[in-house]
Amino acid sequence: MKLLEDVPSAVAHRPPPRRTKLTLAVAAAFLLVAAVAGAMLVASSSGGSGDSAADRDPRPSGTLADWATGITDACTTVAAEQPIMAQGAEARLDVVNLDAVQAGTSALVAAVHDVPLPAEEAEQAQASATVAVGDQATQAWTALTDSSAEATPEQVAQAAELTAGFVAGMTQLGANCAPIG
């Protein structure tokens, strides 16, 4: 017979078995759901990645004169931030400057897109036509810089011509883009 002293009077508690695989699976599922929900929120708040620049433009407001004033400010800012744009058409024709001109033209077009178009439909159509030429200029410079082939002088001249037409169109509508050469 055993003595009572040899029998433990209290039950010893063991720690519960670890469930690391279950914990990791639950954490992974939570992170996956959070990532998908976050991506959906970002896509819905930014309008998705398939939007064109025109889809992100501010709502039309004001007059053509207001638009021209905003464009004048954009031209001045871009000329200060992108010195190649203030150097004139000759600098845009030099193949060595492709990357700088592409960046400058893209910056100018982006700044123009930030200016609200005029509210009146006829004025809005005029401004939109000019902005479309800017989009074409950006596409032309981007195609030249993204291409693995060396840009020909004719391609560079065509892109420079689009840029000059864009600037001239803004000037015709009342903007002062003199800082952009």
Side-chain angles (χ1 to χ4, degrees), residues 74-76 78-79 82 85-88 92 108 163 167 177-181:
C75 287
T76 304
V78 170
Q82 304 286 335
M85 297 304 285
Q87 292 180 8
R92 288 185 212 119
L108 179 60
T163 302
V167 173
C177 285
I180 305 288

Side-chain angles (χ1 to χ4, degrees), residues 30-31 38 51 57-59 97 105 114 118 131 140 151 153 160 167 169 173:
F30 174 78
L31 289 175
D51 289 349
D57 288 344
R59 296 183 72 79
N97 296 331
T105 302
D114 289 342
V131 172
V167 173
L173 294 177

Side-chain angles (χ1 to χ4, degrees), residues 55-161:
D55 293 339
R56 295 186 305 268
D57 288 344
R59 296 183 72 79
S61 66
T63 65
L64 188 60
D66 296 334
W67 181 81
T69 301
I71 298 303
T72 299
D73 293 343
C75 287
T76 304
T77 301
V78 170
E81 293 173 354
Q82 304 286 335
I84 193 73
M85 297 304 285
Q87 292 180 8
E90 300 81 31
R92 288 185 212 119
L93 294 174
D94 191 351
V95 178
V96 175
N97 296 331
L98 278 181
D99 289 330
V101 174
Q102 187 275 330
T105 302
S106 294
L108 179 60
V109 171
V112 167
H113 275 288
D114 289 342
V115 177
L117 291 170
E120 200 263 313
E121 285 186 35
E123 292 177 344
Q124 191 177 99
Q126 290 175 318
S128 292
T130 301
V131 172
V133 174
D135 291 337
Q136 292 171 357
T138 297
Q139 291 170 0
W141 287 111
T142 301
L144 291 175
T145 57
D146 288 351
S147 175
S148 60
E150 189 172 324
T152 66
E154 293 81 22
Q155 292 171 320
V156 174
Q158 183 182 17
E161 196 173 294

